[in-house]
Amino acid sequence: MEILPGVGVALAKIGDTRTVVESRIGPPIHPGRSLRAVYETDPLLVLTYHADDTVELVELSHGGDQVYFDGVQLTDRFLADVVADLTARGHAGEPTGIGHRFEPGFAIFSTGSMWAGDLDPDAAEDDPRAVSEGVSVAPYDYFAE
């Protein structure tokens, strides 16, 4: 799935109403109208809504189909390799607490649910390489710490 930095993805864009999103992809996995909703797409789509039921943040998880931007695979790769590939394409990033944010509006992150051995069978138990497990899409300033 290709991200649209600062905008979202084809299925859900910042500012879309919950009604519009759910007309495209159906109801969330968990019933109710929580401000955070998970949708059974591939990859999983996690949306955070404002109180007025418009999309505030679009997130995509690792596993299943991969997430891309500008020809770079963003998920299920070592975080440092993703940053290097994006930088080589002219997309400068800034470190955040769990990953990097990029202009014009997305962030890649590692929560530690995957480890280097998931990608490299020769990785030692204490291999410190972080795995890019997900992508968040919102206006750039959303990711300011």
Side-chain angles (χ1 to χ4, degrees):
M1 183 177 292
E2 186 81 14
I3 65 165
L4 307 166
V7 175
V9 294
L11 296 173
K13 296 177 177 69
I14 305 301
D16 281 352
T17 65
R18 185 185 302 258
T19 302
V20 166
V21 169
E22 292 182 2
S23 73
R24 290 182 190 133
I25 58 178
I29 293 171
H30 308 290
R33 297 185 67 78
S34 172
L35 290 181
R36 190 170 177 131
V38 179
Y39 296 91
E40 198 164 354
T41 58
D42 191 10
L44 280 180
L45 182 62
V46 180
L47 301 180
T48 301
Y49 289 95
H50 290 286
D52 69 357
D53 260 0
T54 58
V55 176
E56 174 182 18
L57 176 68
V58 175
E59 294 179 285
L60 301 149
S61 68
H62 68 91
D65 284 349
Q66 299 305 318
V67 181
Y68 292 87
F69 170 62
D70 195 17
V72 175
Q73 181 180 325
L74 303 177
T75 49
D76 287 340
R77 296 181 60 213
F78 290 115
L79 196 66
D81 293 343
V82 176
V83 171
D85 287 351
L86 288 168
T87 300
R89 291 188 179 264
H91 306 291
E94 298 175 63
T96 65
I98 60 170
H100 281 74
R101 72 179 183 151
F102 293 86
E103 284 277 7
F106 70 97
I108 57 174
F109 58 86
S110 177
T111 61
S113 66
M114 293 181 72
W115 72 288
D118 292 324
L119 299 181
D120 178 0
D122 296 325
E125 288 287 327
D126 61 348
D127 191 313
R129 294 177 291 176
V131 176
S132 181
E133 299 168 9
V135 179
S136 299
V137 183
Y140 182 68
D141 290 339
Y142 184 91
F143 304 108
E145 294 187 315

